[in-house]
Structures are given as C-alpha cells and as structure tokens.
C-alpha cells in the first residue's frame, strides 16, 4: 500500500507554512506525525496533492507556561506529553490519557495537534480538551485566532479549521491544585480506539462537588461535552441517586455507531460505565 | 514525479538516495539500501514488524515517508550485532530463550526492545509487555519474547568484568 503522489514541503516557520498552504490551495494539507494521514493516504481516503510538513518548525514543539496557563505546541508528540514533568504536575489527566493512546511507536510520532485537528471521533485527546476547557490557537493567511475546543468539532472529520489554517498551540488553564481527575477508556485491546471513554475533572469542597467537567470519546460524530451531567453533579456529595441521574444525562447525549466495537446501545451504556468509574477515581484523588 | 534527494545515517553509515516523496521509509530501507531485515507485515501501522530506531525512538517505518527521515540517524536489525561481530545481548537472548519461531516479528521486536532497554534498563514484566504492545507476534504467545528481553536486560546490566 503506497500513497498517491504529492509534492513535499518542509517550511521552517509558521508564516512560511501558512504562505505555502495559501499558495498551494485546497489540495494541500499540513503533515504532522502522519499517523492518521499516511494510513488514510494509503487507503485513498485522503489524496492531498501537496503536504506541508510541520516537523522542522521548532516554535511548534514543546510545553511552556504563558502566565498561569499552559501552552502545548501543536507538534509536541504524544510521547512528549507523557514525559513532560510540567504536565505531570499541573495536568496529570493528560499523561493518564496519553498512556492509553495507541502504542509506543505510534505515540513517538503522533502529535497532539494532529490528534485534535484530525476530527476523528475515535481520537482520545479532543474530548479531554473539551473537558479541560482548552482553546486552540490557529494561524492562517489572514492572521491568528483562538477557538474553544468545545466549539471546534462539527462532525466526523469536520472541524472549524478552514483550509490553509494551521493549529499552532493548545492553551489550557490548569484546574486548581487538589483537583480530582480520571480518564477511563474501554477498549478491546491495547492500541485500540475507544469503545467508549470518559474524561473527568472535578473539585470538591467540604465533601461536595464544587465543579465538574466531563468529555466523552467515540460515542458520537464528535467528542461530546456533557454539560448537563456535570451540572447535576455540582453541589452533590456524589450520592447514588445523583450519580445515576448524571450518568443518564451523559448517556442521553450519545449517538454511537454500531460497529465492530459493539451495538450502539452497548456503547452508550459503556459511556455511562466509564463515567461512573471516572467519578470514583477522580473523587478519591481530589483533596477535600 | 520529481524525485527528492535524501541523506541519512543508517547503522552508522552515511547513505543517500533519490526517492519520490511518497516513498515509505520501509521501502527505502529494503529496496534502495537492500536492508531487508525490517519486515513489512500489515502495512497499516499495527503489527510493528517494520519497527526501526529513528533519532532515539522506535518508529513504524511503514508509516514514515523517507523524506521525513531526511538527516535522521537510523538503526535496523543489520546494525545490532556488536562491532566485533558477536551478537548483541538481545539477539543472544532471543536465541537462548527461544524468543522466536518463524522469526518474522523478530527484527521489529529486537529494535523495539533495544529502545525500551535504553529508556528503562531494568523493566518489570508488565513494563516489557506494555513496551512491546505495538509489536504483534503470531507464533510465540509472547512468553519467551518477554523472557528474552529479561535475559538481555540482566546481561546488559551485569558488572563489566563478567562481560569481559
Ligand atoms: C495503529 C494506530 C492506533 C491508534 N490509536 C489511537 C488511539 O487509541 N487514540 C487516539 O487518540 N489516537 C490513536 N491513533 C492516532 C494517533 O494518535 C495519530 O497520530 C493522531 O491522531 C494524529 O496525529 P498526527 O500527528 O499523526 O497527525 P497527522 O496524521 O500528521 O495529521 C492528521 C490530520 O490533521 C491535520 N493536521 C495535523 N497537524 C495539524 C496542525 N498543526 N494544524 C492543522 N492541521 C493539522 C493533517 O492535515 C491531517 O489532516 C492511532 C494511530 C494508529 C496508526
Ligand atoms: S508493517 Fe508497519 S506496522 Fe505492520
Ligand atoms: S515468531 Fe513468528 S510472528 Fe513472532
């Protein structure tokens, strides 16, 4: 399986990349780790006429502080997310999620930018970014803009990214110290995409949930931000009746496909089970 | 299609070639350089038979374009033996512990295990199993592969005088 022909470009700066993409037109695409794009090109699900490789743009790589926020460069690899001491302290849920993505070789090449920009509902990081309230920093020919992860996803492989735009970074305001977190993923085997998964961050005060945010993976055409479920949990002591209602609210917004990972009804229920498990682990981790 | 000139270091040797941008690294290694140790199993980024070491990381060379590896430092199974021609501890381990049957997965397994032991010289059994989770073996049931990697880890971390 060999991809179709294309021209290859390797710019050194974001401005050069954006100018190239503008010149080359709609048939050109950015290339990051290539671990979604190259398989799609082999299958002719993607037939770009030109690839603009982002790998040589040093500015796009790495984790840095911007005031109290953390900005993760778009071409930071999933392996680098796991290795980052800064993220392990401020945003430990990123490491927990990254460790259940694919396998070591794929994580060495796959990037956070490619993972969130691809629009594949199976990818794990988009729902996590929604849970964390991340915003995506985007550069285009007309300038730069920023868009919330919660507003970015429009359908399977369909996002707010316009042709010619490059995702440059992901900005996250870390939750307060002492927050609880969990990413629960059900998969058939190591390296598989999720049957269903739930990302959860919560804070507790005096035994009650002070705030909660929930993202769901691979149970719809897009990642899902489960706002109602989080609202139900807020103010509760995570008693059974409240958790049942929140799980029902989360299940209600899912619309998974029936496929090799199971029938739709099963995957909806598994999204609920993942949320329940995430609640138990996150609550145990939160310092009251 | 216009060809692109690529240069890289493979097993310590400077190499070059003319490739189409769409040429995959595995094809460059096997067809241009005649290094047929790294295998093509699935071609879909799943099996790990094509694993090589690229700039200090294990990668699936069926999912990297040769042009992306411009300037890279690559190691394949052909570069694993010690300079004096004796087997690397991992190769020795796979032989001693029966870590292979048909051998198809072995070059990828050894290159992956090589990087794993660089990162974690004394892995637990669990860490080994997670470490090779991107490499499929259809023969062994993995038990002896894990034992082979444990053998190599012990041999590599043994005091120098024993190795001499
Ligand atoms: C065997 C296998 C198993 C996998 N399992 C999982 C899994 O369990 N969970 C998971 O989340 N992922 C999984 N993945 C996907 C993997 O994480 C991908 O590497 C990742 O989703 C895409 O990142 P990339 O850097 O490889 O992107 P690429 O493949 O390079 O790009 C993907 C798409 O995004 C666009 N793009 C990339 N970067 C940018 C940017 N900065 N700006 C604008 N557009 C951009 C490209 O044009 C392309 O359309 C798996 C992949 C494989 C091969
Ligand atoms: S041939 Fe590359 S992963 Fe199978
Ligand atoms: S020994 Fe045959 S596939 Fe592993």
């Amino acid at each position: 399986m060999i991809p179709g022909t294309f021209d290859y470009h390797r710019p050194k700066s974001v401005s050069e990349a954006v100018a190239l993409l503008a010149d080359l037109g709609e048939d050109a695409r950015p290339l990051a780790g290539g671990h979604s794009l190259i398989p799609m090109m082999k299958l002719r699900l993607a037939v770009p006429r030109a690839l603009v490789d982002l790998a040589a743009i040093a500015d796009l790589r790495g984790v840095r502080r911007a005031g109290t926020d953390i900005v993760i460069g778009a071409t930071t690899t999933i392996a680098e997310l796991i290795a980052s001491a800064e993220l392990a302290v401020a945003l430990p849920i990123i490491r927990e999620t990254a460790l259940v993505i694919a396998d070591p070789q794929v994580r060495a090449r796959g990037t956070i930018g490619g993972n969130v920009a691809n629009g594949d509902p199976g990818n794990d990081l988009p729902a996590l970014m929604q849970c964390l309230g991340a915003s995506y920093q985007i550069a285009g020919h007309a300038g730069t803009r920023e868009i919330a992860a919660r507003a970015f996803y429009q359908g399977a492989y369909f996002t707010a990214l316009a042709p010619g735009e490059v995702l440059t970074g992901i900005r996250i305001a870390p939750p307060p110290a002492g927050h609880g977190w969990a990413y629960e993923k059900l998969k058939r085997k190591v390296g598989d995409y999720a049957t269903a998964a739930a990302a959860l961050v919560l804070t507790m005060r005096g035994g009650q949930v002070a705030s909660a945010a929930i993202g769901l993976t691979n149970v719809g055409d897009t990642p899902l931000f489960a706002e109602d479920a989080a609202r139900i949990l807020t103010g509760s002591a995570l008693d059974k009746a409240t958790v049942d209602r929140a799980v029902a609210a989360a299940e209600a917004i899912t619309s998974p496909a029936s496929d090799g990972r199971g029938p739709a009804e099963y995957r909806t229920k598994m999204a609920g089970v993942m949320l329940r498990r995430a609640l138990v682990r996150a609550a145990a981790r939160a310092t009251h | 299609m216009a060809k692109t000139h690529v240069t890289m270091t493979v097993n310590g040797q400077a190499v070059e070639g003319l490739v189409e941008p769409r040429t995959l690294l595995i094809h460059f290694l096997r067809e241009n350089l005649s290094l047929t140790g790294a295998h093509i199993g699935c071609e879909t980024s799943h099996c790990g038979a094509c694993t090589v070491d690229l700039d200090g990381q294990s990668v699936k060379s069926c999912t990297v374009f040769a042009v992306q590896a411009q300037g890279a430092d690559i190691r394949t199974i052909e570069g694993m033996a010690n300079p004096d021609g004796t087997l690397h501890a991992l190769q020795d381990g796979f032989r001693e512990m029966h870590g292979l049957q048909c051998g198809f997965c072995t070059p990828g397994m050894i290159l992956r295990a090589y990087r794993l032991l660089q990162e974690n010289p004394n892995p637990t059994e669990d860490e080994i199993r997670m470490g090779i989770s991107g490499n499929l073996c259809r023969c062994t049931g993995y038990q002896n592969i894990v034992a082979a990697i444990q053998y190599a880890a012990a041999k590599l971390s043994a005091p120098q005088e024993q190795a001499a």
Side-chain angles (χ1 to χ4, degrees):
Chain A
M1 276 195 292
I2 297 170
T5 54
F6 59 88
D7 291 324
Y8 177 77
H9 303 269
R10 197 180 172 86
K12 293 244 162 23
S13 67
V14 172
S15 52
E16 213 187 313
V18 165
L20 269 168
L21 287 166
D23 276 359
L24 293 164
E26 292 217 1
D27 290 336
R29 279 218 209 178
L31 170 68
H35 273 54
S36 290
L37 188 52
I38 296 174
M40 289 195 291
M41 287 172 66
K42 289 181 180 182
L43 296 169
R44 302 298 188 275
L45 294 174
V47 281
R49 294 250 293 280
L51 291 184
V52 175
D53 190 349
L54 305 178
I57 307 176
D59 288 354
L60 287 184
R61 195 143 181 179
V63 179
R64 62 183 172 83
R65 281 267 173 192
T68 54
D69 291 351
I70 284 186
V71 176
I72 306 175
T75 60
T76 308
T77 65
I78 297 169
E80 287 164 351
L81 298 179
I82 293 170
S84 163
E86 177 112 58
L87 291 181
V89 173
L91 287 160
I93 192 171
I94 292 185
R95 184 168 193 276
E96 178 160 293
T97 307
L99 279 167
V100 293
I101 293 177
D103 59 49
Q105 288 96 314
V106 175
R107 296 197 290 261
R109 297 291 297 177
T111 66
I112 185 171
N115 195 290
V116 302
N118 197 29
D120 181 346
N123 283 357
D124 290 289
L125 295 175
L128 175 60
M129 293 304 130
Q130 293 193 333
C131 166
L132 290 171
S135 20
Y136 298 161
Q137 301 175 323
I138 292 168
H141 206 47
T144 59
R145 65 186 179 112
E146 206 165 304
I147 179 170
R150 291 173 191 169
F152 185 74
Y153 298 94
Q154 302 172 342
Y157 301 98
F158 193 60
T159 69
L161 205 63
E165 286 187 320
V166 173
L167 176 68
T168 55
I170 292 155
R171 190 171 56 79
I172 305 169
H179 71 276
W181 80 92
Y183 190 75
E184 280 287 344
K185 176 176 178 178
L186 179 68
K187 50 187 164 38
R188 297 169 300 179
K189 61 175 187 63
V190 172
D192 194 14
Y193 290 95
T195 300
L200 169 69
V201 167
L202 53 70
T203 58
M204 304 285 287
R205 197 179 306 121
Q208 293 194 330
V209 176
S211 69
I214 301 162
L216 302 174
T217 297
N218 217 12
V219 281
D221 279 352
T222 64
L224 300 174
F225 180 56
E227 216 170 349
D228 288 344
R231 196 175 318 111
I232 291 168
L233 293 168
T234 306
S236 83
L238 294 176
D239 55 286
K240 183 172 180 314
T242 306
V243 170
D244 285 348
R245 276 201 299 131
V247 165
E251 288 176 357
I253 62 169
T254 67
S255 54
S258 293
D259 63 14
R261 294 184 176 82
E265 298 81 353
Y266 167 74
R267 296 180 67 184
T268 289
K269 283 293 166 200
M270 289 308 105
V273 171
M274 292 305 108
L275 175 56
R276 274 182 207 280
R277 290 183 187 171
L279 277 167
V280 172
R281 283 204 301 125
R285 281 166 163 171
T287 37
H288 295 236
Chain B
M1 197 72 207
K3 292 203 171 180
T4 305
H5 184 238
V6 290
T7 55
M8 55 191 92
T9 304
V10 178
N11 300 326
Q13 309 247 314
V15 301
E16 60 179 336
L18 281 177
V19 297
E20 283 185 61
R22 63 174 173 164
T23 304
L24 296 163
L25 179 59
I26 185 71
H27 292 132
F28 179 69
L29 294 171
R30 292 177 58 85
E31 289 161 22
N32 293 55
L33 304 181
S34 299
L35 295 172
T36 54
H39 289 154
I40 301 174
C42 65
E43 288 194 87
T44 59
S45 329
H46 286 92
C47 74
C50 62
T51 299
V52 301
D53 206 65
L54 187 156
D55 288 339
Q57 284 183 315
S58 307
V59 304
K60 294 178 175 176
S61 61
C62 73
T63 313
V64 177
F65 292 120
V67 288
Q68 291 178 282
Q70 166 61 35
D73 189 6
I74 291 171
R75 186 194 284 244
T76 69
I77 191 67
E78 288 88 346
M80 281 303 291
N82 299 315
D84 66 1
T86 57
L87 293 183
H88 183 272
L90 275 161
Q91 295 172 304
D92 192 26
F94 272 69
R95 188 176 63 179
E96 288 301 317
M97 305 311 286
H98 307 284
L100 62 143
Q101 289 177 25
C102 79
F104 196 84
C105 70
T106 314
M109 284 287 181
I110 287 183
L111 266 293
R112 174 64 201 124
Y114 166 72
R115 183 49 50 194
L116 175 67
L117 294 183
Q118 298 286 312
E119 290 166 358
N120 181 358
N122 287 299
T124 62
E125 178 177 344
D126 265 9
E127 286 167 343
I128 293 174
R129 287 183 184 275
M130 290 312 283
I132 60 168
S133 59
N135 296 74
L136 300 181
C137 175
R138 297 288 83 156
C139 302
T140 63
Y142 302 99
Q143 193 58 42
N144 288 351
I145 292 176
V146 173
I149 297 170
Q150 286 170 324
Y151 173 102
K155 187 170 172 182
L156 288 168
S157 57
Q160 282 300 315
E161 59 271 26
Q162 260 179 287

